Amino acid sequence: MSSNKKSDPKENMVHFNARIEGINYDVLDELVGYAVRRAQLSIYEDFGAALAAEDITPQRFSSLVIIGNNPGISQTRLAEVMGIARSGVVSIIDRFEETGLVERQASGDRRSYNLHLTREGQKQLKRYKKAVKDHDDRITGALTATEKQQLKSLLRKICLRTEME
């Protein structure tokens, strides 16, 4: 017997507890990378809960933002910007094309396509941006505006440092 009822994506989510009482974390408490990863897991969980009904992940959202602000970007360039394999971008774009958010346009190279948001894609991205900004305000609610800027600056420094090596 099958049910036509759609399952709620939130039902299948495992709640991430960043700190479990009674656990000795030893050297992990001293590691910046560990702290960043724990924060990332908490942030992704909140993002997923906030946008579950939209079926938008951080990666999909970022892709839409990059395409929207860089009309005509190639799939290869998008993969480079996103730091993912080209096949991963193809999968994302296939999904966006199916839902009418993005269209591929032929470029001078028959192996490459230029990407553009459709009108529907522009409309949806506007909604997603609002939801993501609300999410970001919620997860950083304990920080002052100065602390938010500091945190972003410090994380950029870490990224630049690892790119230089």
Side-chain angles (χ1 to χ4, degrees), residues 91-134:
S91 174
I92 290 169
I93 300 308
D94 285 348
R95 181 183 197 99
F96 287 157
E97 218 174 21
E98 289 168 11
T99 56
L101 301 180
V102 171
E103 62 184 11
R104 290 178 170 108
Q105 294 178 357
S107 70
D109 181 348
R110 291 187 317 198
R111 299 166 297 164
S112 178
Y113 293 97
N114 295 326
L115 305 172
H116 297 271
L117 291 183
T118 62
R119 284 186 198 264
E120 182 63 20
Q122 292 169 3
K123 180 179 153 190
Q124 294 303 323
L125 180 55
K126 188 175 182 179
R127 284 190 33 240
Y128 300 155
K129 283 181 181 180
K130 170 143 180 30
V132 171
K133 284 180 182 178
D134 290 347

Side-chain angles (χ1 to χ4, degrees), residues 146-159:
T146 301
E147 288 171 331
K148 287 180 198 181
Q149 284 306 116
Q150 269 183 318
L151 178 58
K152 289 187 287 186
S153 177
L154 292 170
L155 291 172
R156 273 192 290 276
K157 271 186 170 181
I158 290 173
C159 290

Side-chain angles (χ1 to χ4, degrees), residues 20-39:
I20 298 175
E21 194 63 38
I23 297 297
N24 180 345
Y25 289 88
D26 191 44
V27 70
L28 297 175
D29 281 333
E30 300 171 26
L31 303 174
V32 170
Y34 185 76
V36 169
R37 178 64 177 145
R38 302 299 277 189

Side-chain angles (χ1 to χ4, degrees), residues 132-144:
V132 171
K133 284 180 182 178
D134 290 347
H135 146 77
D136 198 67
D137 288 344
R138 186 173 45 259
I139 63 163
T140 60
L143 303 176
T144 66

